Amino acid sequence: MKCGLEIHVQLETESKLFCTCHTNYQEADPNTNVCYVCLNQPGAKPYPPNQSALDGAVMIALMLGCKISPEVTYFMRKHYDYPDLSSGYQRTSIPIGYEGDLNGVRIREVHLEEDPGQYKPDMGIVDFNRSGIPLIEIVTEPDMTSPDEARKFLRELIRVLEYSGSARGEGTMRADVNISMEGGKRAEIKNVNSIKGAYKALQFEMVRQKNLIKRGIEIKQETRAFLESQMITVPMRLKEEAEDYRYIPDPDLPPMIAEEERVEIIREEMPEPAHIKTERFVTEYGIKKDHAQVITSELELADAFEEVAKEVDPQFAALWMRDELKRILYYNKLNYKESEITTAQLVELLTLLQDKKITTKAGQRIIEQLPQNPKMPGLIAEEMGLVGVVEDDTVLTAVKQAIDENPEAVSDYFQGKSKALNFLVGQVMRLTRGKADPAKTNQMVVEELKTRE
């Protein structure tokens, strides 16, 4: 299987690409964020391209390792008839960036275009609020050889887009998925609007094409639609070629040049891409790659880790931030920025743990209190009575008491029931009010039970 993707994502701008209409189309009443320009009324001319959109496209291209074209860039008219396109053509630029790479998948080009309106064929209506919102299109080479590889690439790409701060992320993503089997003709699956959808569409299409090949039926070069409710693809039309769109340069828009000085300013200001940051964290901090990937899933979380790692052992910090911090963020349905947890809170919590002033169990209970809470971990620990780690002699006394008071659990343990051990450890933790180290307690319970076989 060979797969290439064409990914369209809206850019984060206040106004549209060629006019001053707002881009908050999802919040506005239908057909209210419109003007003569984005409705392409006779005599209405487009404004010069939105500078924020141009800068955002250049930044994303740079973050994908692309070369920025030094040549004159201009917009073309891509002609096709569809109800959501009031002009009968879509304005799309020639490549702004080219020859990039994201984790081994080559990026053929990055360019800008305008979003069409929203057509609802079941109701026969069009909402033009979205018409003219700037889109970035990222076109890959057919370097992916499985649905899993395509899904992994899209996840990495969304991380890059989120890091850039210039794009609206997966919620506005639409991907055209191109797939061919055994060197045959390719099918293009249009407007898949999620990573899961792209994965499922590829899975279905791979099976469909394999079955056709087995039966000796030639695969048509065609455009297909993905029905997400059924997880299948269905024919739309035979695949268009470039000449079918009758491209011409747009005479109403001036040519542009990406000035080298401006490109260098954007390069200096842009954040380090997530995939590069992941590799740096592995080499610089000596943490595991899967830890680094989780920590770099959010730019603010990655920045927080670097601050924490200045004062706490990086490997210890990575373990807690990957497991416990992400656990409570997921449970509370928050990202790191929304949680309002500060690096000072994390440093204090991890220091308490490293200095053995609190147990692991206590640390887990404390971190659960941190989201949107300005209190420091030390104060929370005192309020909850979690300060202090009991001595081994006290733990051993509690171990013996737990075993003596629970003969049924002891019997179950000797019969090979693993849950019995967990129960006994839990009893010890209860007796010590959570101030015993769980791992050490587990070991002490096992050793005490051996003496009673």
Side-chain angles (χ1 to χ4, degrees):
M1 180 192 117
K2 293 178 72 174
C3 170
L5 301 170
E6 301 168 26
I7 304 103
H8 309 76
V9 178
Q10 290 177 357
L11 291 174
E12 189 65 75
T13 60
E14 292 293 323
S15 59
K16 295 183 180 181
L17 190 53
F18 300 116
C19 67
T20 57
C21 291
H22 288 294
T23 58
N24 61 336
Y25 68 99
Q26 293 172 321
E27 302 166 9
D29 292 331
N31 294 310
T32 55
N33 283 4
V34 293
C35 67
Y36 293 116
V37 174
C38 54
L39 289 176
N40 292 284
Q41 295 299 296
K45 299 293 184 183
Y47 295 12
N50 185 323
Q51 188 62 49
S52 294
L54 293 171
D55 287 351
V58 170
M59 178 184 290
I60 290 168
L62 289 171
M63 291 178 74
L64 292 171
C66 290
K67 301 173 184 176
I68 303 301
S69 175
E71 307 297 328
V72 171
T73 303
Y74 53 89
F75 281 88
M76 307 278 284
R77 290 182 178 180
K78 177 182 179 181
H79 293 83
Y80 61 93
D81 292 320
Y82 207 64
D84 60 10
L85 208 59
S86 57
S87 62
Y89 59 81
Q90 181 185 30
R91 294 184 177 95
T92 178
S93 76
I94 64 171
I96 293 171
Y98 61 98
E99 293 182 10
D101 181 273
L102 177 59
N103 288 350
V105 176
R106 293 171 295 161
I107 307 298
R108 182 185 299 171
E109 64 179 73
V110 173
H111 62 260
L112 263 177
E113 57 187 38
E114 58 181 346
D115 214 350
Q118 291 175 291
Y119 175 46
K120 299 177 181 178
D122 56 330
M123 302 174 67
I125 59 174
V126 181
D127 180 4
F128 285 102
N129 282 346
R130 195 179 72 181
S131 178
I133 288 179
L135 282 180
I136 189 167
E137 180 173 3
I138 299 156
V139 183
T140 78
E141 298 290 354
D143 290 343
M144 289 152 277
T145 59
S146 71
D148 285 314
E149 285 186 14
R151 178 169 59 182
K152 184 178 178 182
F153 170 81
L154 285 169
R155 285 174 176 167
E156 284 294 325
L157 178 62
I158 292 299
R159 284 208 304 166
V160 171
L161 296 175
E162 289 174 346
Y163 264 52
S164 75
S166 301
R168 291 183 171 176
E170 186 182 357
T172 68
M173 183 193 87
R174 297 192 297 280
D176 298 339
V177 181
N178 294 276
I179 173 175
S180 64
M181 300 294 298
E182 301 178 11
K185 292 181 179 177
R186 66 186 169 97
E188 180 181 31
I189 309 162
K190 295 291 285 187
N191 293 330
V192 182
N193 59 16
S194 68
I195 295 174
K196 178 183 175 182
Y199 176 75
K200 293 293 185 180
L202 280 169
Q203 280 190 317
F204 176 85
E205 192 62 20
M206 186 168 66
V207 172
R208 185 189 73 87
Q209 292 192 23
K210 278 183 177 179
N211 287 338
L212 289 175
I213 292 169
K214 284 179 183 178
R215 290 156 55 193
I217 300 173
E218 183 181 1
I219 296 170
K220 297 177 183 176
Q221 184 163 321
E222 62 180 343
T223 299
R224 299 179 68 85
F226 177 59
L227 304 183
E228 192 151 6
S229 60
Q230 301 176 51
M231 296 294 176
I232 64 171
T233 69
V234 295
M236 287 176 65
R237 57 185 180 269
L238 293 179
K239 182 76 180 82
E240 296 96 340
E241 300 295 345
E243 56 267 22
D244 295 323
Y245 291 117
R246 307 185 309 283
Y247 284 99
I248 62 168
D250 193 313
D252 294 330
L253 289 166
M256 306 166 290
I257 293 180
E259 297 177 344
E260 187 174 343
E261 182 180 349
R262 181 62 189 159
V263 172
E264 289 308 310
I265 290 173
I266 294 172
R267 194 191 302 274
E268 290 174 10
E269 292 178 349
M270 75 181 192
E272 181 182 29
H275 56 292
I276 295 175
K277 192 183 290 288
T278 297
E279 297 301 326
R280 179 171 66 80
F281 278 13
V282 172
T283 55
E284 185 174 326
Y285 296 108
I287 65 177
K288 295 178 179 178
K289 187 168 184 178
D290 61 331
H291 290 193
Q293 287 174 327
V294 172
I295 291 168
T296 58
S297 61
E298 302 174 45
L299 178 58
E300 292 80 9
L301 182 61
D303 290 343
F305 170 75
E306 296 217 73
E307 288 299 311
V308 171
K310 292 176 182 177
E311 301 185 51
V312 178
D313 174 60
Q315 295 183 24
F316 185 65
L319 180 65
W320 268 78
M321 293 180 76
R322 174 196 180 252
D323 292 343
E324 298 304 326
L325 179 56
K326 287 295 284 187
R327 174 178 65 84
I328 61 107
L329 293 178
Y330 180 79
Y331 178 81
N332 289 282
K333 296 182 173 61
L334 298 169
N335 60 36
Y336 178 74
K337 185 177 181 180
E338 292 167 342
S339 75
E340 300 175 12
I341 297 173
T342 66
T343 54
Q345 288 175 310
L346 292 173
V347 167
E348 183 168 301
L349 174 64
L350 295 175
T351 302
L352 288 170
L353 285 160
Q354 284 193 311
D355 292 347
K356 299 191 182 302
K357 292 181 179 178
I358 59 173
T359 64
T360 299
K361 190 70 175 178
Q364 291 170 337
R365 292 179 63 187
I366 291 166
I367 202 169
E368 289 168 359
Q369 305 300 313
L370 292 184
Q372 298 174 340
N373 182 355
K375 290 183 180 179
M376 294 300 287
L379 178 59
I380 295 171
E382 288 178 10
E383 290 177 347
M384 296 179 70
L386 297 173
V387 177
V389 179
V390 294
E391 298 296 327
D392 286 356
D393 290 347
T394 306
V395 177
L396 183 57
T397 300
V399 167
K400 291 177 179 179
Q401 181 180 343
I403 291 173
D404 290 339
E405 292 177 353
N406 296 278
E408 187 176 343
V410 174
S411 175
D412 287 345
Y413 172 78
F414 287 126
Q415 291 175 32
K417 296 178 181 179
S418 59
K419 288 183 179 179
L421 177 61
N422 295 336
F423 173 79
L424 290 169
V425 171
Q427 294 304 301
V428 177
M429 298 303 293
R430 179 181 61 81
L431 292 167
T432 59
R433 296 182 180 181
K435 293 183 179 181
D437 179 80
K440 198 166 187 178
T441 299
N442 189 296
Q443 182 182 352
M444 292 173 75
V445 170
V446 171
E447 289 174 354
E448 181 64 23
L449 285 167
K450 283 180 180 177
T451 67
R452 304 193 181 197
E453 285 186 273

